[in-house]
Amino acid sequence: MTLRHLLRFAGALLLVSASGLAFATPPRAFTATYRVLRDGSPMGEATVSLKALGNGQWEYSKHMRGTAGLAALLGANLDEVSHFRWKGDVPEALSYDYRLDAAIKSRQRHVAVDWSKHQVTVDEGKGAITYATQPGMVERNTTALAIGMALRDGQKQIALPVAVRQAVETQRFKVTGKEKVTVPAGDFDTVRVDRTDADRGFSAWYAPDRYPLPVKLSQKDGGNLTMELVSFR
């Protein structure tokens, strides 16, 4: 191999390596706040944050507080905390804790992932359920972040293995168009993403060149809820 060929080969390797590093760069730690509406009326506020814990682990949390209407009257609070590791640009699940507290009911769920045993354990206080892991598996709390990372990488159709109560199910999402969206944080040119594998009424609007989270999210499963971005830092 001549010197010219060696230089070309080295340059090609450098380009591939640099592209790979950029492709798999995780987002920086952030805190985002949202206003939450139910059927178009203010219901509460949510804070979503991401931070590095060290040793390759990250924490992604969502804290929602009822501040208006029935949610405030019932003192409804929702806390979700996920621990994960990055596998490329996928937030691969390590654990997930869900807790809902309100005057009339409370609910909790703990999900633990043992990758050495390839086992997921789900406990809602009524006896644990176990099932097999899948590589690149996320859970319900980190799904929005996983979609945002896939969009940042240019994907238009996204299939995510998601750990739910009794199994890992493949959830499918698709970019269905571009729309201008106005939320408290401002005006955004967004791509709209809809879930396509089930009639769950999930739609989200992302500005993937700016944020890894949606600027607006609408979900009808469990109530006609909308989250609109207020600030991101």
Side-chain angles (χ1 to χ4, degrees):
M1 183 179 287
T2 66
L3 178 60
R4 181 185 300 176
H5 288 125
L6 282 172
L7 290 174
R8 286 180 179 175
F9 183 65
L13 283 178
L14 181 62
L15 179 62
V16 170
S17 298
S19 299
L21 286 172
F23 192 77
T25 300
R28 296 180 180 179
F30 61 73
T31 299
T33 58
Y34 290 83
R35 71 175 181 184
V36 184
L37 303 98
R38 187 184 188 96
D39 297 322
S41 298
M43 170 186 169
E45 57 187 26
T47 301
V48 181
S49 63
L50 174 72
K51 63 181 181 182
L53 299 178
N55 297 322
Q57 294 192 26
W58 290 69
E59 180 178 283
Y60 178 81
S61 62
K62 181 193 302 173
H63 305 288
M64 190 179 300
R65 301 290 178 262
T67 59
L70 184 60
L73 183 64
L74 295 176
N77 296 313
L78 173 65
D79 296 290
E80 296 180 89
V81 180
S82 302
H83 291 157
F84 68 87
R85 62 189 182 188
W86 289 109
K87 186 172 184 178
D89 276 349
V90 176
E92 189 175 63
L94 297 173
S95 69
Y96 166 60
D97 284 283
Y98 168 98
R99 184 176 183 88
L100 171 66
D101 290 308
I104 58 174
K105 68 177 179 179
S106 63
R107 184 181 302 165
Q108 62 184 14
R109 175 183 295 179
H110 174 67
V111 178
V113 184
D114 188 333
W115 286 103
S116 65
K117 296 180 179 179
H118 306 288
Q119 180 175 286
V120 181
T121 302
V122 181
D123 192 348
E124 297 182 339
K126 300 178 181 178
I129 297 170
T130 61
Y131 53 84
T133 60
Q134 283 190 30
M137 180 187 72
V138 301
E139 32 75 19
R140 57 179 288 173
N141 191 36
T142 52
T143 300
L145 176 62
I147 294 171
M149 297 301 292
L151 293 173
R152 189 191 74 167
D153 294 341
Q155 296 184 43
K156 304 297 184 183
Q157 298 193 48
I158 303 159
L160 292 174
V162 182
V164 293
R165 185 172 180 269
Q166 295 181 318
V168 178
E169 67 177 24
T170 300
Q171 297 183 5
R172 301 184 184 279
F173 306 86
K174 180 180 179 180
V175 173
T176 55
K178 296 182 178 181
E179 298 180 12
K180 288 187 176 292
V181 171
T182 299
V183 294
D187 300 326
F188 296 90
D189 293 318
T190 70
V191 291
R192 175 172 172 163
V193 177
D194 291 286
R195 185 171 174 184
T196 60
D197 65 295
D199 185 17
R200 301 290 180 89
F202 174 96
S203 300
W205 292 259
Y206 286 83
D209 56 332
R210 298 184 62 178
Y211 307 128
L213 296 181
V215 297
K216 180 180 177 181
L217 185 149
S218 176
Q219 182 134 14
K220 295 182 180 179
D221 184 23
N224 189 11
L225 298 179
T226 302
M227 293 176 62
E228 297 180 338
L229 184 66
V230 175
S231 67
F232 187 99
R233 63 184 187 277

